[in-house]
Amino acid sequence: MGSPSLDALHGLLAALLFLGAVMGHTSLVVLSHNRWYGAALPRRLTDVIQFLHGLLVLAGPAVFWYAYGFNLTNAFLPPPRAPARLIGAGYVLTCCLVGLVGLPVLTFRRRRHGRPPALVHNHTHTVDLSARLGYRPIGDGKLRFLARLPGNEIFQVDFAERLLRLPRLPAAWEGLTILHLSDLHLGGTPDRRFFQEVMDLCAAWEPDLVALTGDIVDSDRHRRWVVPVLSRLRWRIAAFAILGNHDLWFGPALIRRRVRRSGLCMLGNSWKQIEVRGEPLVVIGHEGPWVKPAPDLSSCPAGPFRLCLSHTPDNIGWARRHSIDLMLAGHNHGGQVRFPVIGSVLVPSVYGRRYDCGVFEEPPTLLHVSRGLGGEQPLRYNCRPEVVKLVLQKG
């Protein structure tokens, strides 16, 4: 009979191994989910994949316990020789390595990355829209019950001002401002007054340019909100918009028409050159991978500063190959739920959590990813919705 202290140690190690395997299994499933969910797949197939990944996450701990009990060393004793046992032991070992080594290392690497040099200044002011409106603007969305969950931050909006340093910025554009909006997901929750109030606050910034990077609408019925909401925006020079993958599910032609009626220029997968303070600016829209083909820049002048509106940051490789100076994106919502230390988990991107939100230097491109203002699921924890005023500086 072993000593009580040894038995306790063995029990502790067994529990740690089981926990590590569950964490590793969950990480592998989430990695698969993020990559598949970031691909340009039909909506129904995407929903099925999401459901299956959810089942896999729940099934992992149950299968481990059923096959090996809570002591996963049973997977290796006696030495497995049958193919099924070898596969099981190999998967348990992989999950343990991912959960106990890979996940902590990746989390540490993510956290030690400081502010990128191109982000000179970041000031955020949070506005409680519930207090400002005098009521909770829950609305009538199909998932409105989520808005009532304790601690849900969907009505706490971050108004962020970020100063970005760009090497090719014309001297005449010093201090140029861009209002970056993304992922409104007009679908009933929050209600229309919530979005109108946010647009009024954005208009008070008086930006030079407005960039709306997709996922404007999330139901057929709420297309009629587009004009009453977006028409409240104001800008000095020009405003541009593209669609996101959700917009393509709810009548994209009608949405494009309503966005134009609001005064914004719909880019689609194309480019447009305008003059800003006497200097040429090329503004490019990229709605891929859902809308194809990608923008054709063969006749686009090479010299002027290039600003790209892309719904997903996954187009960063394309942007770098085409010498985009500044790319604005959304789609990932910052993960919507961010855990202490770990950060985001579910991010619909082929890059996983790499470009969940914030500023990323990928020379020659500077990428800004917005957390967005809404979401199909009105759920935000440690990841408040945001609108951002970018102030450009020559670096």
Side-chain angles (χ1 to χ4, degrees), residues 173-366:
W173 294 359
E174 188 77 20
L176 189 79
T177 57
I178 303 174
L179 171 63
H180 184 192
L181 287 168
S182 196
D183 296 271
L184 275 64
H185 288 274
L186 303 176
T189 301
D191 69 10
R192 191 167 77 176
R193 279 195 63 195
F194 168 90
F195 290 101
Q196 289 177 320
E197 189 69 21
V198 172
M199 296 305 112
D200 287 344
L201 291 170
C202 290
W205 266 336
E206 297 183 347
D208 296 303
L209 302 172
V210 171
L212 174 56
T213 52
D215 275 3
I216 303 163
V217 171
D218 226 331
S219 90
D220 289 322
R221 185 162 60 93
H222 295 91
R223 282 195 303 261
R224 62 189 181 192
W225 285 16
V226 172
V227 176
V229 169
L230 295 184
S231 62
R232 303 174 88 95
L233 290 170
R234 297 291 181 268
W235 54 87
R236 292 192 180 98
I237 299 172
F240 301 93
I242 59 170
L243 298 188
N245 56 311
H246 282 242
D247 298 312
L248 303 178
W249 303 338
F250 301 108
L254 294 173
I255 297 173
R256 292 185 198 276
R257 189 182 312 155
R258 289 173 181 264
V259 172
R260 291 190 193 100
R261 282 178 53 195
S262 304
L264 287 77
C265 172
M266 282 300 312
L267 290 168
N269 276 5
S270 67
W271 61 274
K272 182 181 181 67
Q273 181 171 314
I274 64 171
E275 187 174 287
V276 175
R277 299 182 184 175
E279 297 283 349
L281 168 66
V282 173
V283 187
I284 303 158
H286 198 326
E287 296 176 348
W290 303 278
V291 177
K292 297 179 180 179
D296 180 6
L297 303 186
S298 58
S299 60
C300 180
F305 188 95
R306 291 184 171 187
L307 169 66
C308 178
L309 279 62
S310 169
H311 179 58
T312 174
D314 289 1
N315 291 323
I316 184 61
W318 179 93
R320 296 181 69 189
R321 291 192 300 273
H322 291 84
S323 301
I324 301 300
D325 294 284
L326 176 60
M327 181 167 124
L328 308 180
H331 185 57
N332 291 341
H333 300 191
Q336 288 195 211
V337 176
R338 300 177 69 88
F339 295 93
V341 182
I342 294 175
S344 61
V345 175
L346 296 176
V347 180
S349 168
V350 297
Y351 294 102
R353 304 187 297 162
R354 182 173 178 179
Y355 302 116
D356 53 2
C357 61
V359 178
F360 305 90
E361 292 190 80
E362 297 287 354
T365 303
L366 183 65

Side-chain angles (χ1 to χ4, degrees), residues 122 124-126 153 156-160 162 180-185 213 329-338 355-358 368-375 379-388:
N122 183 18
T124 299
H125 172 62
T126 305
E153 298 175 302
Q156 310 289 318
V157 180
D158 281 351
F159 288 78
R162 294 177 182 142
H180 184 192
L181 287 168
S182 196
D183 296 271
L184 275 64
H185 288 274
T213 52
H331 185 57
N332 291 341
H333 300 191
Q336 288 195 211
V337 176
R338 300 177 69 88
Y355 302 116
D356 53 2
C357 61
H368 180 264
V369 184
S370 169
R371 295 198 302 266
L373 189 54
L379 195 68
R380 297 268 183 166
Y381 284 95
N382 198 29
C383 185
R384 290 186 292 266
E386 73 173 0
V387 293
V388 182

Side-chain angles (χ1 to χ4, degrees), residues 120-189:
V120 180
H121 175 73
N122 183 18
H123 173 73
T124 299
H125 172 62
T126 305
V127 176
D128 183 347
L129 268 295
S130 296
R132 188 176 180 89
L133 293 172
Y135 72 99
R136 299 186 72 199
I138 292 174
D140 61 356
K142 61 183 179 181
L143 297 177
R144 58 187 176 273
F145 71 93
L146 293 174
R148 303 182 187 278
L149 293 177
N152 195 348
E153 298 175 302
I154 63 168
F155 305 133
Q156 310 289 318
V157 180
D158 281 351
F159 288 78
E161 296 187 41
R162 294 177 182 142
L163 179 60
L164 303 182
R165 183 174 291 150
L166 294 144
R168 281 190 0 102
L169 191 79
W173 294 359
E174 188 77 20
L176 189 79
T177 57
I178 303 174
L179 171 63
H180 184 192
L181 287 168
S182 196
D183 296 271
L184 275 64
H185 288 274
L186 303 176
T189 301

